[in-house]
Amino acid sequence: MPPSKLDSLYRRMLITRFFEKGWGKPENLHRVFQFRKIISCRETCFKLVPRDYPVEITKKKTYSDSTLIEGNFTTPLELHMPGVVPEAAQQAHFQLLLPNKWNDEHHKPICIHLAGTGDHFFWRRRNFIAKPLLKDANIGSIILENPFYGLRKPDDQIRSNLHNVSDIFVMGGCLILECLVLLHWCERNGFGPLGITGLSMGGHMASLAATNWPKPLVLVPCLSWSTASAVFTTGVMSQSINWDMLETQYYSDGQYRERLSKMIAARAQRGY
């Protein structure tokens, strides 16, 4: 399929770049790739997050038709891989929007909403998705702040532009485990049936998270695909990446190049 004219126009409008600091520390990439063996298996991944994982509710406000609750918890990825998650992203923040009255007290549906690229904070998903869902279908929503976004964005990061290639893998690992935390929390508090959704990148992350929940779960990925690689290499984001810098970094250090190429080759052999 040839590139769309809309993609071409969007690429020309981009003024900032992703991965300006390069690939990331080789040791972090190695740890992430090793951890992927665990997190990509439902049985081993599910055991990483206990059912009683602590979640703190920090704020509650009641409106005429709904109640808005805010909470946070430490991302489990930091507990399993200390030092990989930037300090600013280690605390997961979420909002919970609930109807003041359920249609059926034994039927309290909740959907987790994951962010698409550039969707910082909660306002957009709360007003354009969660509120209509509550009004039209009496379904509650959990809006999870993305790692590296909004409240979880490192101070020196510009907008949504991740510093390192490794950050995209850290983001995915965080969201997979954080969704398990929230699904467990929903069960403990009597909510259900449960679902998870997201737009674009959020839909891809929702698909990854849903595969590690062993119980019935509604999954609605919107405008997403099975991989984001084409988006970065040939698609809409391809011209937002400093390929020259990544190539220079790759070839400037023989040991770095050897370690990175071995990790990529190992993943290819395993079908990753």
Side-chain angles (χ1 to χ4, degrees):
M1 180 182 295
S4 72
K5 293 182 179 179
L6 180 61
D7 281 2
S8 299
L9 175 62
Y10 183 82
R11 287 198 300 266
R12 288 197 296 269
M13 293 173 63
L14 290 171
I15 58 175
T16 54
R17 294 181 174 241
F18 280 71
F19 314 137
E20 282 287 282
K21 293 188 178 181
W23 295 93
K25 297 179 180 179
E27 55 268 28
N28 283 353
L29 279 168
H30 178 73
R31 292 172 66 191
V32 168
F33 288 165
Q34 290 297 314
F35 191 69
R36 194 182 188 281
K37 302 174 188 177
I38 300 172
I39 206 170
S40 62
C41 173
R42 178 186 294 174
E43 291 185 4
T44 55
C45 180
F46 187 69
K47 295 176 182 178
L48 297 175
V49 179
R51 289 179 172 83
D52 59 349
Y53 194 92
V55 174
E56 181 183 7
I57 300 302
T58 59
K59 189 175 180 180
K60 182 177 180 180
K61 190 169 183 177
T62 302
Y63 300 92
S64 59
D65 62 343
S66 62
T67 298
L68 184 64
I69 297 170
E70 296 187 8
N72 60 67
F73 56 90
T74 301
T75 181
L77 190 65
E78 172 61 21
L79 304 180
H80 293 288
M81 300 180 65
V84 168
V85 184
E87 185 176 354
Q90 291 175 10
Q91 199 71 4
H93 299 269
F94 68 92
Q95 286 190 348
L96 171 66
L97 185 68
L98 298 174
N100 288 339
K101 185 177 180 180
W102 297 97
N103 292 337
D104 182 348
E105 285 299 317
H106 301 289
H107 186 82
K108 301 178 180 180
I110 294 286
C111 184
I112 298 173
H113 301 267
L114 300 185
T117 302
D119 188 358
H120 293 252
F121 302 106
F122 308 107
W123 187 90
R124 191 180 307 174
R125 282 171 288 165
R126 185 178 68 243
N127 286 280
F128 294 124
I129 304 177
K131 285 185 176 180
L133 199 60
L134 183 144
K135 180 180 179 180
D136 297 339
N138 202 234
I139 295 175
S141 295
I142 293 179
I143 308 163
L144 178 62
E145 180 80 283
N146 212 49
F148 302 96
Y149 280 23
L151 297 168
R152 307 178 69 182
K153 184 174 74 69
D155 292 337
D156 59 345
Q157 178 183 305
I158 300 174
R159 290 183 285 277
S160 310
N161 302 323
L162 303 182
H163 286 156
N164 304 294
V165 175
S166 59
D167 292 342
I168 197 74
F169 297 105
V170 172
M171 179 191 295
C174 283
L175 289 173
I176 289 171
L177 298 182
E178 288 164 17
C179 284
L180 289 180
V181 172
L182 292 170
L183 291 168
H184 280 310
W185 184 84
C186 285
E187 283 196 336
R188 295 201 308 269
N189 286 275
F191 296 118
L194 304 175
I196 183 169
T197 186
L199 178 69
S200 188
M201 180 184 71
H204 178 68
M205 296 298 183
S207 300
L208 295 178
T211 61
N212 289 310
W213 184 250
K215 305 174 186 180
L217 183 69
V218 176
L219 170 65
V220 185
C222 304
L223 301 176
S224 65
W225 198 241
S226 57
T227 177
S229 60
V231 176
F232 286 105
T233 57
T234 61
V236 68
M237 305 300 293
S238 60
Q239 293 185 20
S240 68
I241 297 174
N242 191 339
W243 294 107
D244 291 338
M245 185 274 298
L246 289 176
E247 183 179 22
T248 299
Q249 187 181 83
Y250 181 78
Y251 285 109
S252 64
D253 187 330
Q255 291 184 342
Y256 188 97
R257 181 172 67 254
E258 183 179 1
R259 294 175 65 182
L260 189 59
S261 60
K262 284 182 178 179
M263 284 186 280
I264 294 174
R267 286 189 56 179
Q269 289 175 359
R270 298 188 185 100
Y272 296 165

